[in-house]
């Protein structure tokens, strides 16, 4: 699914076949989850293939590495150039791109002194699908920000995401909702949450979540089209009383919820203000100019 015999990856400055590439089994990243990664998307636009917010993603990759002491020696310029070359070599237009910075062998619990970079890309549909989500409240909470650099995209953090997502699927849901260490609404295993109430949007404030790039884009869109958006501590009671809810992330894009623990929300997603945001997001990633932004016409 992710690669075949022909697939090319970018590894430490070279374009090589994925099938021929090796990773050291003594890597500190493999043993301890000590690596940082990104998830970006490219879109086929009228002006050619464009990676959405490429600079912001590579800035975050650097920040994630710095947060946990993984050496990072690349410029955005060289990685962006490599990303477009990678897409071209693999004949990809609408793609998901996975940069990963990983570390050499080191069984001690100390910072790495060198690191490697991988860029891989593959075709990937909307990560959570196109249908409204049936979400289940997880028994898992997001990691304690006093124990982890929660704003960083570190591989090891995703064991928490895997457990929550699998638990939700085992219980018949499409996806999980995790609370934070204090029991407030936090985020999904791989997406941020917004809810809509009386035409306004609300989202958990930074501190206990990965403040995603899509989340920031949603806030930008709201500012642009005049929708009030508030970052706050969100209780489960507030969320349950919402008119509608959506998840957002690079892989998932914007996807509405049908229900939480089987209870449906008041307003059908397609009649909501959130639906307009979903349309505006599509327009933005596809670089479709909408003259009257408040109208938000076609995708
Ligand atoms: N929260 C978590 C835990 C995530 O893994 C992701 C995906 N990176 C997000 C939120 C959304 O982030 P972004 O919009 O930057 O993809």
């Amino acid at each position: 699914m992710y690669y075949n015999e022909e697939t090319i990856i970018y590894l430490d400055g070279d374009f090589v076949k994925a099938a021929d590439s090796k990773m050291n089994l003594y890597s500190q990243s493999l043993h301890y989850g000590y690596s940082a990664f990104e998830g970006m998307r490219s879109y086929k636009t009228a002006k050619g293939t464009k990676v959405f917010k490429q600079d912001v993603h590579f800035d975050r990759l650097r920040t994630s590495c710095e947060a946990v002491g993984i050496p990072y020696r690349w410029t955005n310029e060289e990685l962006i150039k490599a990303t477009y070359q990678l897409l071209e070599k693999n004949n990809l237009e609408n793609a998901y791109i996975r940069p990963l910075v990983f570390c050499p062998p080191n069984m001690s619990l100390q910072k790495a002194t060198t690191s490697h970079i991988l860029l891989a890309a593959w075709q990937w549909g909307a990560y959570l699908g196109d249908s409204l989500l049936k979400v289940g409240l997880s028994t898992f909470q997001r990691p304690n920000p006093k124990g982890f650099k929660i704003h960083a995209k570190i591989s090891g953090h995703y064991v928490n995401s895997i457990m929550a997502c699998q638990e939700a699927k085992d219980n018949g849901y499409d996806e999980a909702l995790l609370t934070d260490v204090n029991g407030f609404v936090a985020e999904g295993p791989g997406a941020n949450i917004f809810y809509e109430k009386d035409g306004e949007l609300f989202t958990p404030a930074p501190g206990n979540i990965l403040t995603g790039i899509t989340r920031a884009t949603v806030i930008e869109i709201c500012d642009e089209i005049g929708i009030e958006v508030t970052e706050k501590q969100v209780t489960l009671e507030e969320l349950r009383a919402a008119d509608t809810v959506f998840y957002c992330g690079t892989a998932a894009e914007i996807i509405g919820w049908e229900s939480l623990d089987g209870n449906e929300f008041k307003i059908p997603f397609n009649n909501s203000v959130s639906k307009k945001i979903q349309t505006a997001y599509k327009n933005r990633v596809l670089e479709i100019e909408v003259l009257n932004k408040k109208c938000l016409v076609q995708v």
Side-chain angles (χ1 to χ4, degrees):
M1 176 187 172
Y2 304 107
Y3 73 99
N4 59 33
E5 282 301 313
E6 305 307 317
T7 304
I8 303 290
I9 57 168
Y10 176 85
L11 186 59
D12 290 332
D14 295 319
F15 290 98
V16 291
K17 281 205 165 175
D20 298 340
S21 304
K22 293 189 186 119
M23 185 201 169
N24 195 310
L25 292 178
Y26 292 77
S27 160
Q28 200 178 15
S29 304
L30 184 62
H31 288 254
Y32 303 132
Y34 186 57
S35 48
F37 69 100
E38 265 308 312
M40 323 196 287
R41 267 193 194 276
S42 65
Y43 293 89
K44 184 183 176 186
T45 76
K47 293 176 220 138
T49 302
K50 294 287 177 75
V51 179
F52 187 61
K53 293 203 170 179
Q54 50 198 20
D55 264 300
V56 187
H57 280 283
F58 283 120
D59 285 345
R60 184 170 67 186
L61 186 60
R62 173 187 296 277
T63 315
S64 295
C65 286
E66 284 170 358
V68 296
I70 296 176
Y72 191 93
R73 61 181 183 283
W74 305 279
T75 63
N76 283 10
E77 202 185 357
E78 70 182 290
L79 294 180
I80 289 167
K81 187 171 166 213
T83 301
Y84 281 98
Q85 287 175 325
L86 180 78
L87 292 172
E88 212 174 299
K89 285 179 192 298
N90 289 291
N91 291 318
L92 289 167
E93 291 174 321
N94 294 303
Y96 182 80
I97 303 140
R98 168 55 53 84
L100 173 74
V101 177
F102 61 100
C103 299
N106 184 357
M107 293 301 165
S108 78
L109 300 177
Q110 287 171 344
K111 291 198 297 194
T113 52
T114 58
S115 58
H116 303 279
I117 191 155
L118 160 74
L119 301 177
W122 60 89
Q123 203 127 24
W124 221 21
Y127 169 65
L128 295 171
D130 299 319
S131 311
L132 296 183
L133 300 173
K134 296 180 174 69
V135 177
L137 178 64
S138 184
T139 61
F140 294 101
Q141 296 191 319
R142 290 295 288 155
N144 184 336
K146 290 189 176 146
F148 294 89
K149 303 278 187 172
I150 195 78
H151 60 279
K153 220 167 150 53
I154 304 303
S155 301
H157 297 180
Y158 282 79
V159 176
N160 171 257
S161 297
I162 291 170
M163 291 190 299
C165 182
Q166 188 59 55
E167 179 194 51
K169 295 213 187 275
D170 289 347
N171 290 333
Y173 296 111
D174 300 315
E175 187 54 298
L177 166 69
L178 293 94
T179 48
D180 68 22
V181 69
N182 299 311
F184 293 99
V185 172
E187 58 188 329
N192 291 117
I193 183 172
F194 282 81
Y195 75 88
E196 178 182 327
K197 184 78 184 169
D198 299 329
E200 292 181 18
L201 291 191
F202 299 87
T203 193
N208 292 288
I209 57 170
L210 185 112
T211 46
I213 292 164
T214 319
R215 177 184 179 278
T217 308
V218 168
I219 294 172
E220 281 164 26
I221 291 171
C222 287
D223 285 349
E224 224 170 70
I225 63 178
I227 295 171
E228 190 89 28
V229 52
T230 308
E231 298 175 81
K232 65 192 280 280
Q233 253 183 1
V234 176
T235 65
L236 283 165
E237 288 66 36
E238 284 168 315
L239 187 70
R240 289 192 185 106
D243 292 335
T244 195
V245 185
F246 64 86
Y247 267 157
C248 68
T250 301
E253 302 181 309
I254 292 181
I255 180 73
W257 289 22
E258 180 181 293
S259 58
L260 175 62
D261 293 336
N263 301 307
E264 290 192 10
F265 289 93
K266 290 193 194 74
I267 298 185
F269 185 76
N270 284 343
N271 298 344
S272 66
V273 167
S274 303
K275 173 71 187 176
K276 291 189 185 173
I277 310 269
Q278 186 189 47
T279 305
Y281 183 76
K282 268 280 171 200
N283 286 339
R284 194 177 264 233
V285 296
L286 294 172
E287 300 194 354
I288 295 172
E289 285 285 336
V290 178
L291 292 179
N292 183 351
K293 294 217 160 70
K294 292 202 165 119
C295 282
L296 288 172
V297 278
Q298 87 292 338
V299 183

